[in-house]
Amino acid sequence: MSELQGISLTRHLDSILEEFKSSKTIYDFPFNKMYRGQFSADLSVNFHGTQVATPLGPAAGPHTQLAQNIVLAFLGGSRIFELKTVQILDHLEIPRPCIDARNVCYNVEWSQELSLKESAREYVKAWLLLHFIRELELLGVERSSSLYNVHFDLSVGYDLKGISSPQMTAWFRQMQNARELIAEQLSELPSRYHGLKKSKIPTTLSNSVTLSTFHGCPGGEIEKIVEYLMGDLGLHVIVKMNPTLLGFERVQQILHHDLGYAHLVLLPKAFETDLNFEQAVAMMERLQAKAKSFNRFLGAKFTNTLVVGGEHSKLPGQEQYLSGPPLHVLAMEALHKFREKMGADFPVSFSAGLEAANVADTLACNIVPVTVCTDLLKIGGYTRLNKYFKNIEESFAQMEVSSLSQFILKRAKNAPDLAQAGFVNTRDYLKTLAKNSRYHFEKNQRLPKKSEKKLDFFECLTCNICMEVCPNAANFLFPVASQEFSMSDYRWDGHTFVAEGKFSITLEKGAEIANLAEFCNDCSNCDTFCPEVGGPYLVKPKLFLEKNNYEKYSGQGFYLEGNTILGKFDGAEYVLKFHAKKLHYEFISEMGTFLFDEDRLLSFVAKQERQRGDRAPLDKYLKMKILLTGLMKSGRYGATLLHRGQE
Ligand code: SF4
Ligand code: SF4
């Protein structure tokens, strides 16, 4: 596996601007699906002092780690971002694959794969890119509009020792005042961006945190962490609750009996070691008083994923974290039960099986923010958010309301205020959930369609699904001529190479898929949804942005350097240089150097002994030539990044 990495702000900016100019897309996200205030439903809410256009956003996870993920979620209409959870242990080995979202979703990933320093940089880059999109009015909306406002919510774990460590404390301080990091990033922008370099960028990247604690973290420790975050650091805090607080019997009833997921093994130990409901309520009551004394906001999030055992996914290990449709039912019940005890006005956020079909119902429960993860891993990826807004608009129209508060109030009929209305709506919604087949096992067994066809280096259905479902935008298209690329096969006759027969690669689609190595963390989600057999991230050409990453990599990979491409196949290394003046291609292989005028062999310089009949490795030449010419031609995203790497 190659190492996940962010890229420079300049590369992002070059890529965004060039791609937007050439195709009105950003990281392949189309303009017509961008959230530009085109919907009549007013979803604006105030969250920790920022008026944001929507209460929606990605949950801490695969959609909030790299800068481009956050930009993509923003384009879809997210405005509250729960950044990927960070913790003191920032060099974790996460098992791969780590996500299985074929129907419901299982994962074995948890906190960041980047170091604390790299995570901070990614968040600052995303912050800057969103401000540049505003400054340049790329959405076609005036920069003064609140439509561009965003809130970044930190997510941290997992214990007091780590969270209160000097490294983590320094990290929080940087997020609360990112002046230096912002200045550092701006100073690296080249002079052609002199206007943006002078932009006035707010330096408070975040003033809030959602706390994620391990399953089994004692209540006393959670309290101390919250006190530290509020009292010492001055942050607003949301505590993420585990679905286990419903108790083993209730979870078993809902999951196994009501919803039919009887094959999922519940782990009694997880219920014993997690806070139970009474403990969680008592803890939050004590913390409420503390929050008041610190003058900070305290909220609760419903919920974390549910730890389950058994053989039901393609992930390694005996335990996995469940999310998606069944979690929606569990989390909604936990939320309602909690509000019954803590009061309808206790602030809650939500993340569990959110999708276009239930987003309006969820918003009616008066929840901020409402976050999403599993659904964005499905076909359509970040663009699926567009349907959320269409559905919300439709629900508003049916109720003849135009704002979120009107929607919540009107739905609850006679509720005296927003908090009570949200409570009533949750209660009513909850009554429908266990009966709704949408959340049942029978409706969530279907696997993504797979053909018999084996995925190949070039030529596939070119359905673009692997591009949509990748949270990191690691897969991209580059143009190729639709034609049969054919050339002579050369064999050694004892003295020289002689042409003997032909071989060819036929490309019909006009474009080919490639994978950007530094953006890919081998999560395997593109493999899950690719209709052909074989993971695009494993089979398609893997392009490296950094030469040292290419050099370290032992698998099949490529690195573009001006008019030259370096390539590795089966452990052997190859170089293909295009000499533009003479239109010659120079191919350096383990056998020697071949010079071609297009596909006619002009000369050959031997490097090693050969046996009569040895075949020149020209299949590699042809593949690399197609790659090189395609990537040099492309003005689009992936290749733009590759080319900018030369500067
Ligand atoms: S690699 Fe698979 S998912 Fe990607 S375009 Fe080809 S067929 Fe579609
Ligand atoms: S390219 Fe595939 S394996 Fe790599 S990050 Fe994207 S979805 Fe995951």
Side-chain angles (χ1 to χ4, degrees), residues 153-174:
D153 183 41
L154 308 174
S155 173
V156 297
Y158 289 93
D159 60 12
L160 180 63
K161 193 167 167 233
I163 288 174
S164 61
S165 65
Q167 299 93 310
M168 283 293 291
T169 303
W171 190 87
F172 284 118
R173 298 274 187 224
Q174 278 190 323

Side-chain angles (χ1 to χ4, degrees), residues 469-472 474-475 515 519-527 537:
V469 300
C470 175
N472 299 339
N475 295 322
N515 173 270
F519 284 179
C520 176
N521 63 356
D522 288 19
C523 74
S524 94
N525 200 41
C526 56
D527 186 2
Y537 73 109

